[in-house]
Amino acid sequence: MSDPKRYVSEAEVKAHNKPGDLWISIQGKVYDVSDWAKDHPGGDLPLLNLAGQDATDAFVAYHPGTAWRHLDKFFTGYHLESYSVSEASKDYRRLVSEFSKMGLFEKKGHGTFILLCLIVAMFCISVYGVLCSENIWIHLGCGALMGVLWIQSGWIGHDSGHYQVMNSPKYNRVAQILSGNCLAGISIAWWKRNHNAHHIACNSLDFDPDLQHMPFFAVSSSLFNSLTSYFYDRKMNFDFFARSLVSYQHLTFYPVMCLARINLFAQSILLLLSKKRVPNRRQEILGLIVFWVWYPLLVSCLPTWGERFMFVVASFSVTGIQHVQFCLNHFSSSVYIGHPSGNDWFEKQTNGTLDVSCSSWMDWFHGGLQFQIEHHLFPRLPRCNLRKVAPFVKELCKKHGLPYTSVSFWKANVLTFETLRAAALQARDITNPEPKNLIWEAINTHG
């Protein structure tokens, strides 16, 4: 009997890889999601980045629940020719299935409730200290405490964007707006757009926005070729100005991180004022307005301009710790140029990520990012379960000969510094093409 299935080649599927003509393959079946892309809860970028190719592992990672039942309405009737699954992918999908059966994607614990209570307490203490004390040191401490509050609210915003931290989608949305827009001044819509693109294109120099910090930072000399950012839709020019900054990036990294929040404010506002499709735009804008009312008003209650400046610098600088944390997991890991591939999802995530080892009592400090490998492989897994699954991931990496890098917080900083320094020296070499002597070589020897 002849096979009733209709087959299509990989080349044919790959031809449908642009907005308005977007096909993907999941478990060998080909789906047309051209019209669905604009309504996709995760945004259109994840679909566009995986357009025209197999996206099974990414789909498994982000949809461990009931999303499978909705696929049939997008089925084209075609199956992918020569569809095969690597042994690493088979084991990865098996792990997702086992974790789902264990209920790990549903068991969230009470961490969010406790953290919300702490955030409310920190907010009240900070406001009380500003309004009811005249001591300059208390005002400085309140500014620092505000920075800690922003860090912890950022972890809630991160978690609520990946999975439902509250009992219902409605309350989860409230948690997102409160923790991101209202408390921290960061649009959750901007964060989800940026962060989903990062997860799908982990450490792709031209697709991952978390590596695109020109002209301030370049983690690889490949960026010296003025690559085009497919996230920002612009060329990342490596001109004289960029070279000048990158040449000293290992020295400016931590000072810039103290002010990195300004960039997040700007990116949030630019997205909400742009013509891009932003779900719940009015909610997002209203949330930011709330922040830009209460925070400047609180700062204005301080008695002098000097103390106001001190309060802002303290809050921004403390929050800079979180911006450093965002960089540690990826800056020193393997990078590549080109379109993210759905066929080597497991390999790409483990190669482009490292864990930060710490005791369980320090989990609050890292907000789940210390298990970055596990988080990238299972983004819908609540952070309270990341430590539980780490041994399984480590064993799987060992089985398939893939890297599982786990270092201390200090070592992660050292690796990041060394990566930035290596690229900085290469940038200096480009800007100063004169012949080098033995003394120069000795001073600038790597390591």
Side-chain angles (χ1 to χ4, degrees), residues 229-432:
S229 166
Y230 289 92
F231 179 82
Y232 294 108
D233 194 25
R234 62 175 173 80
K235 195 173 184 179
M236 297 180 288
N237 291 313
F238 189 68
D239 50 21
F240 176 79
F241 179 64
R243 287 177 179 177
S244 301
L245 293 178
V246 170
S247 294
Y248 298 94
Q249 62 180 1
H250 55 304
L251 302 177
T252 61
F253 174 65
Y254 292 102
V256 169
M257 289 298 104
C258 291
L259 302 175
R261 199 161 196 82
I262 297 174
N263 178 55
L264 271 60
F265 290 155
Q267 294 293 336
S268 297
I269 294 172
L270 288 174
L271 176 65
L272 296 182
L273 295 181
S274 72
K275 295 181 179 180
K276 293 183 174 68
R277 185 179 182 276
V278 179
N280 304 302
R281 189 188 297 264
R282 291 183 180 179
Q283 290 181 9
E284 296 283 338
I285 293 176
L286 181 61
L288 290 190
I289 290 175
V290 170
F291 172 81
W292 287 110
V293 168
W294 77 259
Y295 183 68
L297 184 61
L298 179 65
V299 173
S300 69
C301 291
L302 292 165
T304 66
W305 280 104
E307 289 194 35
R308 294 167 190 168
F309 178 77
M310 177 188 68
F311 183 92
V312 172
V313 169
S315 59
F316 277 42
S317 298
V318 170
T319 316
I321 296 172
Q322 187 177 59
H323 297 295
V324 170
Q325 289 172 297
F326 291 152
C327 300
L328 297 183
N329 300 116
H330 300 285
F331 270 29
S332 61
S333 297
S334 175
V335 299
Y336 66 98
I337 298 175
H339 212 283
S341 171
N343 294 322
D344 54 358
W345 168 267
F346 188 87
E347 293 87 340
K348 278 290 195 300
Q349 303 299 328
T350 54
N351 275 293
T353 311
L354 65 79
D355 281 1
V356 175
S357 59
C358 69
S359 301
S360 58
W361 68 271
M362 279 294 290
D363 286 352
W364 66 272
F365 176 73
H366 296 284
L369 296 192
Q370 73 275 30
F371 294 108
Q372 188 76 183
I373 299 174
E374 289 75 15
H375 171 60
H376 266 256
L377 291 173
F378 313 101
R380 301 297 295 273
L381 193 69
R383 75 163 99 158
C384 60
N385 295 324
L386 292 173
R387 188 176 287 274
K388 298 176 184 176
V389 307
F392 298 96
V393 175
K394 187 174 183 179
E395 181 181 349
L396 195 58
C397 288
K398 182 179 180 181
K399 176 181 178 181
H400 296 285
L402 296 170
Y404 183 89
T405 308
S406 181
V407 299
S408 67
F409 183 65
W410 170 259
K411 182 62 175 178
N413 277 272
V414 170
L415 291 174
T416 299
F417 179 86
E418 289 177 347
T419 298
L420 294 173
R421 181 176 180 271
L425 293 178
Q426 289 173 296
R428 291 184 193 180
D429 192 46
I430 293 175
T431 56
N432 300 290

Side-chain angles (χ1 to χ4, degrees), residues 89-308:
S89 288
K90 288 179 182 177
D91 286 343
Y92 167 65
R93 296 174 194 179
R94 192 177 299 116
L95 266 188
V96 175
S97 178
E98 290 177 2
F99 294 160
S100 183
K101 291 177 182 177
M102 294 166 63
L104 295 183
F105 292 102
E106 304 301 325
K107 297 175 183 177
K108 303 178 179 67
H110 302 290
T112 300
F113 175 75
I114 295 172
L115 189 53
L116 283 172
C117 292
L118 289 175
I119 287 174
V120 171
M122 286 188 288
F123 184 80
C124 292
I125 292 172
S126 185
V127 172
Y128 181 81
V130 170
L131 299 181
C132 301
S133 174
E134 297 181 357
N135 189 302
I136 186 173
W137 296 108
I138 291 180
H139 293 165
L140 179 63
C142 290
L145 186 62
M146 186 62 66
V148 176
L149 182 155
W150 283 345
I151 291 175
Q152 295 304 318
S153 68
W155 299 142
I156 288 186
H158 173 268
D159 293 348
S160 63
H162 274 296
Y163 57 88
Q164 192 171 297
V165 299
M166 308 300 283
N167 292 329
S168 70
K170 178 181 178 180
Y171 290 122
N172 194 68
R173 178 62 183 167
V174 171
Q176 290 176 344
I177 293 294
L178 286 179
S179 62
N181 299 55
C182 297
L183 271 179
I186 310 299
S187 165
I188 193 67
W190 169 82
W191 175 85
K192 289 179 69 174
R193 176 181 172 81
N194 185 93
H195 199 62
N196 285 338
H198 159 65
H199 268 266
I200 296 297
C202 178
N203 274 32
S204 168
L205 292 175
D206 45 348
F207 280 85
D208 184 355
D210 280 12
L211 294 186
Q212 298 171 357
H213 302 295
M214 297 284 284
F216 294 99
F217 303 116
V219 298
S220 169
S221 59
S222 296
L223 288 165
F224 299 169
N225 296 323
S226 297
L227 300 177
T228 296
S229 166
Y230 289 92
F231 179 82
Y232 294 108
D233 194 25
R234 62 175 173 80
K235 195 173 184 179
M236 297 180 288
N237 291 313
F238 189 68
D239 50 21
F240 176 79
F241 179 64
R243 287 177 179 177
S244 301
L245 293 178
V246 170
S247 294
Y248 298 94
Q249 62 180 1
H250 55 304
L251 302 177
T252 61
F253 174 65
Y254 292 102
V256 169
M257 289 298 104
C258 291
L259 302 175
R261 199 161 196 82
I262 297 174
N263 178 55
L264 271 60
F265 290 155
Q267 294 293 336
S268 297
I269 294 172
L270 288 174
L271 176 65
L272 296 182
L273 295 181
S274 72
K275 295 181 179 180
K276 293 183 174 68
R277 185 179 182 276
V278 179
N280 304 302
R281 189 188 297 264
R282 291 183 180 179
Q283 290 181 9
E284 296 283 338
I285 293 176
L286 181 61
L288 290 190
I289 290 175
V290 170
F291 172 81
W292 287 110
V293 168
W294 77 259
Y295 183 68
L297 184 61
L298 179 65
V299 173
S300 69
C301 291
L302 292 165
T304 66
W305 280 104
E307 289 194 35
R308 294 167 190 168

